[in-house]
Amino acid sequence: MTESLHPLLPAATPVLRLDDDLLQVGGVDGRAGLRVQPAGADVAALIRRLDGQRPERAVRAGAVADGVPAAVVDDLLAGLRSAGLVHDLAAADLLAADPGPAARARAAVELPAAVPAPGTGGRWRARRQSAVVVEGATRVGTPLAAVLAASGVGRVHVRDRGPTRAGDAVVGGAAAGDEGRPRALAAADAVRRASPLTDLRPLAPEAAVDLVVLCRPWAAADPLTAALHRAGTPHLVATVRGETGIVGPLVVPGAAGGCLRCAEAWRRDDDPAWPRLAAQLAAADAAPTGSTLTALFTALTAAVQVLAHLDGDDDPVTVGGALEMRPPEFLPRLRRWPAHPDCACGAARRSTPGPGPDADR
Ligand SMILES: [Zn+2]
């Protein structure tokens, strides 16, 4: 038996009256709307009460008690669904909400994007049960952590051991007044500002992490990467090198797509001196980098990829590739990083042979 659907018409969707018996729902934002007839006061009230809190059968029973025929209710819901105006929450989504009216109000504006289409009910709960670790409270990592928490990810921990520098301050991240404080604490405060009830505690070494986001500029040469691979933990690069924002690759050990070492192997093929350069790059505590626009474009692009992974979307675009964006246009460009045949991860053996990586790497 499937979970019953809880239809939600977001409170911001306009319900506009054209005449005594005709309503228009939505249709003023470039997307399809729905004209509803018959549409007396009882139908208008029914539409406005689609708050996602009641299962469909309770919605129908309530409307029938108010004198609206069941067939009218069914036609209305079918029309709202086919126009993409109603989002169907699962009962589990409602149970996954934080307590209190303020948390409910924050969730109400996030839910329509988290449960975008029929059949996606339950994804909010999955996000609420997810744990993400952000490695590096950088100008990308801290706003990214805040965005993920605000988007419903239940546990977000930011790892960093350094002190906050003046240049670490960024919109949505460390504040100007955080200079000198531990970056991990500044990051936790930034997440709390966006989402006060998110679980920020560190995870035990043996605890399962759904995804680690590597926000330091040269994570591939970091020993941490090998440990993540051994543990089978999915990981994603999200950083700024120079003024180029980079999101990807998303590495899911054992699945399709190469790993960070594959990308390093391609670089080494291109320049045998690369490993010596990379070791020095990874060893340095990189200075804050990336303009506000670059850092936030990168953080938001990374958040889309993280949520796609947590939500179970097939093949997020950064599996086997990286999105790169740079000023002034910030139009993302996808650079492919296929599995390298010499890499110990073995991804090349699991995927169909294709061309090497894109040029200009
Ligand atoms: Zn590999």
Side-chain angles (χ1 to χ4, degrees), residues 40-203:
D42 49 358
V43 171
L46 162 63
I47 292 171
R48 264 292 152 241
R49 287 209 311 270
L50 296 174
D51 59 1
Q53 299 296 312
R54 296 181 301 158
E56 185 169 328
R57 62 177 180 280
V59 169
R60 188 186 298 106
V64 168
D66 289 344
V68 182
V72 170
V73 180
D74 291 345
D75 286 351
L76 174 66
L77 287 173
L80 291 169
R81 283 199 178 102
S82 66
L85 292 161
V86 150
H87 303 260
D88 287 314
L89 309 184
D93 291 322
L94 302 173
L95 296 172
D98 281 324
R104 261 206 309 281
R106 288 192 295 271
V109 285
E110 299 295 337
L111 278 166
V115 186
T120 56
R123 297 209 318 187
W124 179 255
R125 178 183 62 168
R127 283 191 195 179
R128 302 287 307 144
Q129 294 178 338
S130 296
V132 173
V133 170
V134 174
E135 280 288 343
T138 63
R139 288 170 60 83
V140 172
T142 303
L144 167 62
V147 168
L148 292 176
S151 301
V153 177
R155 191 162 185 177
V156 180
H157 178 64
V158 184
R159 274 192 208 139
D160 200 303
R161 291 189 174 168
T164 307
R165 298 156 295 188
D168 288 322
V170 66
V171 176
D178 286 323
E179 187 180 358
R181 297 179 67 212
R183 277 202 292 265
L185 294 184
D189 285 350
V191 174
R192 276 194 210 98
R193 280 194 292 275
S195 181
L197 299 177
T198 297
D199 187 350
L200 303 173
R201 292 171 298 155
L203 286 104

Side-chain angles (χ1 to χ4, degrees), residues 229 257-263 339-340 343-347:
H229 217 105
C259 73
L260 302 189
R261 299 282 166 159
C262 288
H340 192 285
C343 183
C345 74

